[in-house]
Amino acid sequence: MTTTVPAPVTGSAQGSALEAVFLDMDGTLVDTEGFWWDVEVEVFAALGHPLKPIWRDVVVGGPMTRSAGFLIEATGADITVPELTVLLNDRFEARIGGGVPLMPGAARLLGELAEHAVPTALVSASHRRIIDRVLHTLGARHFALTVAGDEVGRTKPHPEPYLFAAAGLGADPTRCAVVEDTVTGVAAAEAAGCRVVAVPSVAPIEAAEGRVVVESLEQVDLAFLRTLITRMN
């Protein structure tokens, strides 16, 4: 298992108020939101329950327990949340066994943050077993800290994952930039006091105070993230 709380990271991004950058995983760095929905459709089909496309926006970006619970209630499937969680994780892990596609701009952004020694954390609602598999593609070296949804008491949309990441890196949450692709993730980051860049993947996200919405990760670079912090403080 990957260690989730490393030694505190000293220092911050030189020349700016930015202290750390937190990145979501599914739909933000890797193009896997569609994979999750496909897996959910396949699992429920095997249980004899077709899923309605309108439910996709409800479960996208959510913690496994919430998504699983909603789909069980919506379909009436005779299965428990723990049982369904195992089925979904097993099938998803098999689906990504050969690697996952990166979102446009992800490799460049990760490389730039590493080049400038910006403390960076991966903060995901996915479980540890899934994160560790995806890290083979993303490169664990790019992250000083990784936070999994099954390693915190309350996952997104609760702020705990981002507060945990900030504490682990010794950073002030209000001086941390977060990149997210779902309303659930944005809510968690904003509740933690972070500044947010939203890059919607499936469902739309509205711009708001302390939040910037862009169409692609290709529009996000270190200079952009620094500006986001300095103009808000």
Side-chain angles (χ1 to χ4, degrees):
M1 174 191 265
T2 303
T3 301
T4 57
V5 184
V9 177
T10 58
S12 61
Q14 294 182 352
S16 85
L18 180 67
E19 293 187 4
V21 173
F22 304 145
L23 303 168
D24 175 55
M25 187 176 76
D26 295 296
T28 299
L29 291 177
V30 291
D31 191 8
T32 50
E33 290 291 11
F35 288 11
W36 277 113
W37 178 246
D38 289 345
V39 163
E40 288 160 348
V41 169
E42 291 168 6
V43 168
F44 274 90
L47 294 171
H49 297 277
L51 298 186
K52 297 180 180 180
I54 59 172
W55 293 339
R56 184 178 182 185
D57 288 355
V58 178
V59 300
V60 65
M64 179 72 74
T65 52
R66 189 195 74 181
S67 299
F70 170 81
L71 292 174
I72 290 172
E73 182 176 356
T75 61
D78 184 18
I79 190 171
T80 66
V81 169
E83 290 170 341
L84 179 57
T85 296
V86 171
L87 290 178
L88 293 173
N89 276 327
D90 284 349
R91 188 163 297 220
F92 185 81
E93 192 169 3
R95 176 70 63 91
I96 65 173
V100 293
L102 293 177
M103 297 296 286
R108 177 212 28 93
L109 178 59
L110 289 173
E112 183 179 15
L113 294 174
E115 179 183 354
H116 292 272
V118 179
T120 302
L122 183 68
V123 183
S124 176
S126 289
H127 289 188
R128 169 56 56 188
R129 60 183 287 195
I130 301 301
I131 288 180
D132 286 346
R133 179 60 66 93
V134 174
L135 282 173
H136 291 311
T137 297
L138 289 175
R141 67 189 181 281
H142 289 118
F143 305 101
L145 174 68
T146 61
V147 181
D150 58 338
E151 295 174 339
V152 290
R154 292 164 292 187
T155 189
K156 305 173 187 179
H158 196 276
E160 184 176 345
Y162 283 111
L163 293 174
F164 183 89
L169 297 184
D172 177 351
T174 66
R175 294 187 178 275
C176 295
V178 172
V179 184
E180 274 279 2
D181 73 303
T182 67
V183 171
T184 298
V186 167
E190 291 180 344
C194 303
R195 306 307 180 186
V196 179
V197 180
V199 190
S201 62
V202 176
I205 300 173
E206 300 295 328
E209 183 178 356
R211 177 199 313 166
V212 176
V213 180
V214 299
E215 293 182 357
S216 169
L217 200 60
E218 293 183 305
Q219 297 171 254
V220 181
D221 58 16
L222 179 54
F224 178 92
L225 296 173
R226 285 175 169 168
T227 300
L228 182 68
I229 298 299
T230 55
R231 73 185 184 190
M232 297 294 180
N233 289 283

